[in-house]
Amino acid sequence: EKTYPEFVSPDSPTQRVGGGAELGSRIPHRNPMLSLDNCYDEEELREFAKRADRVLEGAPVEYVTELKIDGLGVSLRYENGIFVQGTTRGDGEFGEDVTANLRTIHAIPLRLGSATGGEGQANGEGTDMNAIPPVLEVRGEVFLPKHRLDDINAQRVANDELPFANPRNAAAGSVRMLDAAITASRPLDIFVYALNYAEGFEFATHTEALEKMKELGFKCNAHNECHDSLEGVIAYYQRWLAKREEMPYEADGIVVKVNSIAQQRELGATIKHPRWAISYKFPAHQAITRVEKIGVQVGRTGVLTPVAILAPVKLAGATITNATLHNEQEILTKDVRIGDTVVLERAGDVIPKIAAVLKEKRNGDEVAFAFPARCPTCDTPVQRSDTEVAVRCVNAACVAQLKRRIAYWASRDALKIEGLGRARIAQLVNAEMVRNVADLYTLKADEVCCLERLGQASAKNLIREIERSKAASAEKVLTGLSIFHVGGRVAELLIAHFSSIDALRQASVEEIAALDGMGTRIGENVVTFFAQNQPMLEKLKQVGFRCFEETDASQRVLGAHAGRNYFPIATDSFFSGKTFVVTGSLPGMTRAEAAAEIKARGGKVTSSITRKTDCLIAGESPGSKYEKARELGTQILAADAFVEKLGIAAE
Ligand SMILES: [Zn+2]
């Protein structure tokens, strides 16, 4: 085929691997990929059915039940039977183009076959059910079989990468790889669950559409069932809840759909959810294990995080060996002691947490954890503050922080330096070859090749990768510096306003604090950091980082002309025109960053819940705002659902 490129057609088997996703290119969905409304008990399910009955005026309703596979929702488009485009669900309105990566999944047909084996197209009458629709869009869930997760994680740990917390993250992470060859190496699978559009075809029921999809060569779940009463639905739920741990894939509940397409149309949808379908969730996964130790990790900004080291236990498809305890307050509130028997829980996409301590299992040998008064790595007395729960090591030379800061500098959130993993960083820091990130840029290949398990060739590659990272943008460099409370979005806002890192270095606490979404704390952190790190910053400039003075011209224009709206506003997003309150701690972002994300999408953020609040974003330990929102009946969005709405991958 290489010699005759004109013969390479997009459905050719050799085209399964090739190129990578053009990540970031946003593709609008034909019609929104709405998320399903959730219910958690039988009563709520009956409410759903009652609402449907009211609209349908008592007409008999058939329900189809399907397992709700925990993976990554995708939309697949075929033209004349050829797979032409695959997108993620994204924010529901726009998805991300992942065509090249989806092509590598063998369960996704590249060319559709019909039951008659012919390749004929629809005859134009739209009546020949054996033909292939000229344009077809189906939706499905890409997933990773449970038993493969431990293998992949073992490999990731060996490669100095963080293990995936669950099969869902593994599936999402694999599909969104830049390199399709990596996606191809993962044993991904798919179940197709909806026929979204089939030009020239009409179906009377969802069951018929499922049959048609199977006939065309799609893989549908074999356990889909049709019921003529709600009792059948409830029995299905009970049956699968009991078999949940034996399932070869992770399912977090069942999906209940009204079978008749005419009735589906009659029921319609709200802005957010269809009214003809609901997901009936299984309760959170639980496992019982023992706290063997409580350790303390020093993060890149010096925050000390207690971590429970657990007797290894299987939970929702992954082997869990530790759980974060977040902070000292959390340990006290839950009264977790070393030696305690605990209930570990994982719900949805959230990382496992200790849900409860089984105090009746105590035998008196349990030991309360004494939060260290000194940094476990550098022995500097820790700093406590009245305004934050975080306890920090503020020693700028702390080796534990340094390793984490360099790891973050090299991560894909910042400068993305391939080959600079945690083990390599530990070697460089322990050998005192690197004392800050700027030192990376004066390393020589013949110096680093003396490190254990690093040959000449990889040493040269590493140096080349480090060199290459000098082209990074000001936003990425600022993010990579690990200034306390300055994550990716805050860094973007700061650079959009100040244009360059050098200009930001001249700014006062007040100037920074006055910006939308910032505040005094961020201002102080930035100014203090720059004051304490002058030599390192000068060295970065000296070795050739251009971004200190320059920034992308278009961005400057945007910053100057658009006033406070630094980002184009999507007027049709979930967020536009609504008022939000953010509370609790969110994974991977500060509340200021969350607020900036909301504002960038046209929403408004206020600090207290009133009747005017449209939605509360509730992170961990949400507190009184959560109660208030419940009282007022305000919509409450959990952190993971929020991240999903933002259209950012949570990994
Ligand atoms: Zn320290």
Short mmCIF file of all heavy atoms in Angstrom, two decimals, residues 114 116 120-123 128-133 201 212 215-216:
data_model
loop_
_atom_site.label_atom_id
_atom_site.label_comp_id
_atom_site.label_asym_id
_atom_site.label_seq_id
_atom_site.Cartn_x
_atom_site.Cartn_y
_atom_site.Cartn_z
N SER A 114 -23.72 -5.28 6.02
CA SER A 114 -25.13 -5.50 6.33
C SER A 114 -25.36 -6.99 6.37
O SER A 114 -24.52 -7.78 5.98
CB SER A 114 -26.01 -4.85 5.27
OG SER A 114 -25.81 -5.49 4.05
N THR A 116 -27.00 -8.95 4.64
CA THR A 116 -26.96 -9.64 3.36
C THR A 116 -25.54 -9.70 2.82
O THR A 116 -25.29 -10.31 1.81
CB THR A 116 -27.83 -8.92 2.32
OG1 THR A 116 -27.40 -7.56 2.26
CG2 THR A 116 -29.29 -8.96 2.69
N GLY A 120 -24.30 -2.38 -0.69
CA GLY A 120 -25.21 -1.43 -1.32
C GLY A 120 -25.60 -0.33 -0.36
O GLY A 120 -25.56 -0.50 0.85
N GLN A 121 -25.99 0.79 -0.90
CA GLN A 121 -26.39 1.90 -0.06
C GLN A 121 -27.91 1.94 0.01
O GLN A 121 -28.60 1.21 -0.69
CB GLN A 121 -25.85 3.20 -0.64
CG GLN A 121 -24.34 3.17 -0.64
CD GLN A 121 -23.75 4.38 -1.31
OE1 GLN A 121 -24.47 5.30 -1.66
NE2 GLN A 121 -22.46 4.37 -1.48
N ALA A 122 -28.40 2.79 0.87
CA ALA A 122 -29.85 2.92 1.00
C ALA A 122 -30.41 3.25 -0.37
O ALA A 122 -29.82 3.99 -1.14
CB ALA A 122 -30.19 4.02 1.98
N ASN A 123 -31.56 2.68 -0.67
CA ASN A 123 -32.09 2.84 -2.02
C ASN A 123 -32.83 4.14 -2.23
O ASN A 123 -33.45 4.35 -3.25
CB ASN A 123 -32.98 1.65 -2.38
CG ASN A 123 -34.14 1.54 -1.40
OD1 ASN A 123 -34.37 2.47 -0.62
ND2 ASN A 123 -34.84 0.44 -1.43
N ASP A 128 -35.44 -0.14 2.73
CA ASP A 128 -34.66 -1.37 2.71
C ASP A 128 -33.81 -1.46 3.97
O ASP A 128 -32.76 -0.84 4.08
CB ASP A 128 -33.76 -1.39 1.46
CG ASP A 128 -32.96 -2.67 1.39
OD1 ASP A 128 -33.13 -3.54 2.28
OD2 ASP A 128 -32.16 -2.80 0.46
N MET A 129 -34.27 -2.27 4.92
CA MET A 129 -33.61 -2.31 6.22
C MET A 129 -32.26 -3.03 6.17
O MET A 129 -31.52 -3.03 7.13
CB MET A 129 -34.51 -2.98 7.25
CG MET A 129 -35.79 -2.22 7.53
SD MET A 129 -35.49 -0.54 8.14
CE MET A 129 -35.20 -0.89 9.87
N ASN A 130 -31.95 -3.67 5.08
CA ASN A 130 -30.67 -4.34 5.00
C ASN A 130 -29.57 -3.43 4.46
O ASN A 130 -28.41 -3.79 4.46
CB ASN A 130 -30.76 -5.58 4.10
CG ASN A 130 -31.44 -6.71 4.85
OD1 ASN A 130 -31.30 -6.81 6.07
ND2 ASN A 130 -32.19 -7.51 4.14
N ALA A 131 -29.95 -2.29 3.97
CA ALA A 131 -28.97 -1.40 3.37
C ALA A 131 -28.26 -0.59 4.44
O ALA A 131 -28.64 -0.57 5.60
CB ALA A 131 -29.65 -0.49 2.37
N ILE A 132 -27.21 0.07 4.02
CA ILE A 132 -26.43 0.87 4.95
C ILE A 132 -26.79 2.35 4.76
O ILE A 132 -26.77 2.84 3.64
CB ILE A 132 -24.93 0.65 4.68
CG1 ILE A 132 -24.58 -0.80 5.05
CG2 ILE A 132 -24.08 1.62 5.47
CD1 ILE A 132 -23.23 -1.23 4.57
N PRO A 133 -27.13 3.04 5.83
CA PRO A 133 -27.48 4.45 5.68
C PRO A 133 -26.29 5.25 5.13
O PRO A 133 -25.16 5.00 5.54
CB PRO A 133 -27.79 4.90 7.10
CG PRO A 133 -27.94 3.66 7.90
CD PRO A 133 -27.19 2.58 7.21
N PHE A 201 -33.61 6.39 7.38
CA PHE A 201 -34.17 5.28 8.16
C PHE A 201 -35.04 5.79 9.29
O PHE A 201 -34.77 6.83 9.87
CB PHE A 201 -33.04 4.42 8.76
CG PHE A 201 -32.35 3.56 7.74
CD1 PHE A 201 -31.44 4.12 6.85
CD2 PHE A 201 -32.64 2.21 7.66
CE1 PHE A 201 -30.81 3.33 5.91
CE2 PHE A 201 -32.01 1.41 6.72
CZ PHE A 201 -31.09 1.97 5.84
N LYS A 212 -30.67 -3.15 14.42
CA LYS A 212 -30.07 -2.64 13.19
C LYS A 212 -28.56 -2.43 13.37
O LYS A 212 -27.76 -2.76 12.50
CB LYS A 212 -30.75 -1.32 12.80
CG LYS A 212 -30.18 -0.66 11.55
CD LYS A 212 -30.49 -1.49 10.31
CE LYS A 212 -29.82 -0.91 9.07
NZ LYS A 212 -30.02 -1.78 7.90
N GLU A 215 -26.74 -5.63 13.31
CA GLU A 215 -26.72 -6.12 11.94
C GLU A 215 -25.61 -5.43 11.13
O GLU A 215 -24.97 -6.03 10.28
CB GLU A 215 -28.09 -5.79 11.37
CG GLU A 215 -28.46 -6.41 10.08
CD GLU A 215 -29.81 -5.83 9.66
OE1 GLU A 215 -30.81 -6.06 10.37
OE2 GLU A 215 -29.85 -5.10 8.66
N LEU A 216 -25.40 -4.15 11.43
CA LEU A 216 -24.38 -3.40 10.69
C LEU A 216 -22.96 -3.73 11.15
O LEU A 216 -21.99 -3.30 10.55
CB LEU A 216 -24.62 -1.89 10.86
CG LEU A 216 -25.85 -1.33 10.14
CD1 LEU A 216 -26.10 0.11 10.57
CD2 LEU A 216 -25.68 -1.40 8.63
#
